[in-house]
Amino acid sequence: MCPPASGPPAAKSAAPDGGWGWVVVLCSFMALLVGYGSPQSLGILYPEWLLTFREGKAMTAWVGSLVAGGGFLVGPVCSVCVVNFGARPVAVFSGVMVAGGFMLSAFAPNVSFLIFSYGIVVGVGNGLLYAAIVVIICVYFDKKRGLALGIIQTGTSVGGVLYGELQRELIELFGVDGCLLVVGALALNVVAFAGLMRPLTPSRYYLTQRDAILERAAEEQQLEKEKEEPSNQKPSANGFVIAVETEELPVRRWSLFSCSASIKMIKIKTRHYSQCLSSMLSLLQDRVLMALCVSLLLYCLGQFPPQLFLEDLARSSGLTEGVSSMSLVSLNSIGGTVGKLALGVIADMPRVNSVLLYALTVGVSGLGVLLIPLSRSYLDLQVLSVVLGFMGGNWTLTPYITSQVVGTEKLAEAHGMLMLFGGVGLMLGPPVVGCFYDFTQSYDIAFYLSGGCLIVGCLILFLAAVLPRRKKTLSSSSSNETELVSCTVTTATDAASRVS
């Protein structure tokens, strides 16, 4: 973790594994439902945007890729915000950001504006929300962490189910623009849910501000004492001159050396942030964590395109004619709801290797994607949608595995690095598949490529989990991370006392 700020460290409180933590779980579930509901059911909006703006599939696919990968791509920045400001303020800010992005998208004149408003603004807002929720849940729960993470992760899938049908009805009633305005109004509820996410420990920003206030109060008390001491002396000309010099000298000292003091402060801050960056990069030295990052990149590269293009594939192939059943997007979300909860419960079971469990889900997802081009009926696509949704519930396992590998103290930094790799895959997957379709007028080659990426990611993580791990000593790393930065701060009062 980054070196702590000056001041007394916050006392570490044990995870309560219950109590108010279940309220936080419920609020997190609802926040993810209203925040991720529309992006999870983007397959409903994607064909409408194709008809409205008349752009290519690759260009329009950037909206979905950025809203899914944009927040993960800035994962390290989101983690730094959570560490410094706390989970609750970040979640509140993310609610305003997500709602604003939805409402702004209702006035989009073209796809380029939509890429910014829906893709970037909503994507980054959801990234902040996800990082804040994952960190606070892992702080509140230890023994029941898998169950808690499974419950909150189902919020995105339940939101995909509900918003898949809701957005379809809203588009028929109010059009795409009216649908986005209603969705944006619903997203404002994230602010209310975030207000109940009470932190267990104060944030680093709070500790820094408290230390600054206490230091300022101590300096004011010292100045008051120095002002009272000359008044107790006998009035004389010399005493009066000394008192005047004592009051004027600190002002001159401070004005003379204010520039050097600012330079020293900038150097200290620069060293602090460089240590933060090196600490985050040092986490990748763990073989399992690095393999998980690469596997997540390949998984997001191959798993998200079918979720976005499956509905369009069924329509372009004529498989939806005469079919009035539930959409593929909703079926995928239903499978994800069951999968996230079930995989979270399985991860809490004794003698279950969560890394191998995650690798298994990635491999089965790869086989499912490879079978999509071979499907000849809408029923086949429905079954594959449910299977891929269930295996997509492995998002519950990513923070669970990360907390086991690096511990809860470094969870924010490690999870931020993990989401960075996942964001790259989510951002590149849909445009690549869209380009393949624009050139070949078929999804077959693109889906074969996506399935191959999933199989390779499964093998990499499987080998990293099976091969024996090299034990490393934590003494050197811990000493480097907890190295105290000593600096001598010369105040104006001290300088004046030495001169006098």
Side-chain angles (χ1 to χ4, degrees):
M1 205 169 185
C2 304
S6 60
K12 296 180 182 179
S13 58
D17 275 314
W20 189 259
W22 294 117
V23 178
V24 177
V25 168
L26 178 61
C27 294
S28 302
F29 173 88
M30 294 302 300
L32 290 178
L33 189 151
V34 297
Y36 275 86
S38 180
Q40 284 291 316
S41 58
L42 194 63
I44 302 298
L45 297 174
Y46 179 73
E48 301 295 333
W49 286 334
L50 288 175
L51 294 175
T52 302
F53 298 109
R54 303 292 180 179
E55 293 283 353
K57 294 182 183 294
M59 181 66 177
T60 311
W62 275 106
V63 181
S65 64
L66 285 175
V67 74
F72 290 160
L73 197 63
V74 294
V77 179
C78 297
S79 299
V80 171
C81 292
V82 174
V83 169
N84 286 277
F85 300 105
R88 181 161 58 181
V90 172
V92 170
F93 177 77
S94 69
V96 178
M97 194 171 181
V98 171
F102 285 141
M103 294 181 180
L104 195 62
S105 300
F107 305 96
N110 48 48
V111 175
S112 300
F113 187 89
L114 201 63
I115 289 174
F116 166 75
S117 60
Y118 197 101
I120 297 178
V121 177
V122 176
V124 174
N126 278 330
L128 290 169
L129 178 63
Y130 185 74
I133 287 177
V134 165
V135 171
I136 197 170
I137 290 297
C138 290
V139 170
Y140 264 95
F141 290 90
D142 184 15
K143 296 180 182 179
K144 301 177 183 178
R145 183 175 298 161
L147 175 61
L149 289 172
I151 292 174
I152 66 165
Q153 293 284 356
T154 57
T156 59
S157 299
V158 173
V161 176
L162 297 179
Y163 274 71
E165 301 301 322
L166 176 64
Q167 289 186 145
R168 179 183 293 179
E169 296 295 330
L170 291 175
I171 289 173
E172 293 181 0
L173 293 175
F174 309 111
V176 180
D177 298 342
C179 172
L180 291 173
L181 287 175
V182 175
V183 169
L186 292 175
L188 284 173
N189 289 285
V190 174
V191 177
F193 295 129
L196 298 176
M197 298 178 186
R198 186 176 62 197
L200 290 178
T201 56
S203 63
R204 182 175 298 173
Y205 177 79
Y206 170 80
L207 294 176
T208 304
Q209 295 299 315
R210 186 188 65 179
D211 293 343
I213 293 174
L214 293 176
E215 184 179 356
R216 189 179 306 168
E219 291 179 356
E220 290 178 355
Q221 291 180 357
Q222 183 66 24
L223 289 175
E224 289 179 358
K225 287 183 179 180
E226 293 179 355
K227 290 179 181 179
E228 292 176 357
E229 288 179 358
S231 62
N232 296 332
Q233 297 176 359
K234 294 181 180 180
S236 63
N238 294 333
F240 179 78
V241 173
I242 293 175
V244 171
E245 290 182 355
T246 306
E247 299 228 353
E248 292 180 353
L249 190 55
V251 178
R252 291 197 296 266
R253 275 288 181 185
W254 182 256
S255 61
L256 287 174
F257 294 98
S258 59
C259 182
S260 61
S262 301
I263 294 175
K264 289 182 180 179
M265 184 60 65
I266 292 174
K267 289 182 179 179
I268 293 174
K269 289 292 184 181
T270 304
R271 182 179 179 183
H272 172 72
Y273 290 124
S274 64
Q275 288 178 351
C276 288
L277 180 61
S278 62
S279 176
M280 296 178 70
L281 295 177
S282 65
L283 296 174
L284 296 179
Q285 296 178 0
D286 189 281
R287 188 182 65 195
V288 176
L289 184 61
M290 187 62 194
L292 183 62
C293 290
V294 177
S295 177
L296 184 63
L297 188 150
L298 295 174
Y299 176 77
C300 294
L301 188 64
Q303 189 266 349
F304 184 64
Q307 180 181 346
L308 181 62
F309 293 106
L310 209 55
E311 193 75 31
D312 185 62
L313 171 65
R315 293 186 183 183
S316 60
S317 302
L319 300 178
T320 58
E321 297 179 359
V323 177
S324 59
S325 58
M326 189 175 294
S327 65
L328 298 177
V329 174
S330 299
L331 290 174
N332 184 275
S333 299
I334 291 174
T337 303
V338 179
K340 289 173 181 177
L341 188 59
L343 292 175
V345 174
I346 294 174
D348 279 335
M349 294 182 179
R351 299 181 182 179
V352 173
N353 191 323
S354 56
V355 180
L356 293 179
L357 179 62
Y358 184 86
L360 177 64
T361 60
V362 175
V364 175
S365 298
L367 295 177
V369 174
L370 291 176
L371 291 175
I372 290 178
L374 305 178
S375 302
R376 293 295 178 263
S377 66
Y378 194 74
L379 179 61
D380 296 339
L381 294 180
Q382 286 178 322
V383 174
L384 290 176
S385 296
V386 175
V387 173
L388 291 176
F390 183 89
M391 295 303 160
N394 58 11
W395 283 102
T396 301
L397 301 176
T398 51
Y400 188 91
I401 297 173
T402 307
S403 62
Q404 285 188 331
V405 173
V406 301
T408 56
E409 294 182 357
K410 297 183 180 180
L411 174 63
E413 287 85 354
H415 193 263
M417 295 297 297
L418 190 66
M419 292 301 102
L420 173 63
F421 282 83
V424 173
L426 288 173
M427 187 178 65
L428 296 180
V432 170
V433 173
C435 288
F436 271 102
Y437 183 88
D438 290 339
F439 280 109
T440 63
Q441 296 300 311
S442 175
Y443 284 110
D444 294 350
I445 298 178
F447 283 159
Y448 286 137
L449 178 63
S450 299
C453 291
L454 294 172
I455 298 297
V456 173
C458 170
L459 294 177
I460 291 175
L461 190 58
F462 178 79
L463 293 176
V466 171
L467 295 177
R469 298 179 66 184
R470 179 171 58 104
K471 294 182 179 180
K472 55 182 181 179
T473 58
L474 300 177
S475 59
S476 59
S477 61
S478 61
S479 62
N480 292 333
E481 293 176 359
T482 58
E483 179 183 359
L484 296 177
V485 181
S486 62
C487 60
T488 303
V489 180
T490 303
T491 62
T493 306
D494 298 335
S497 61
R498 284 199 298 268
V499 172
S500 58

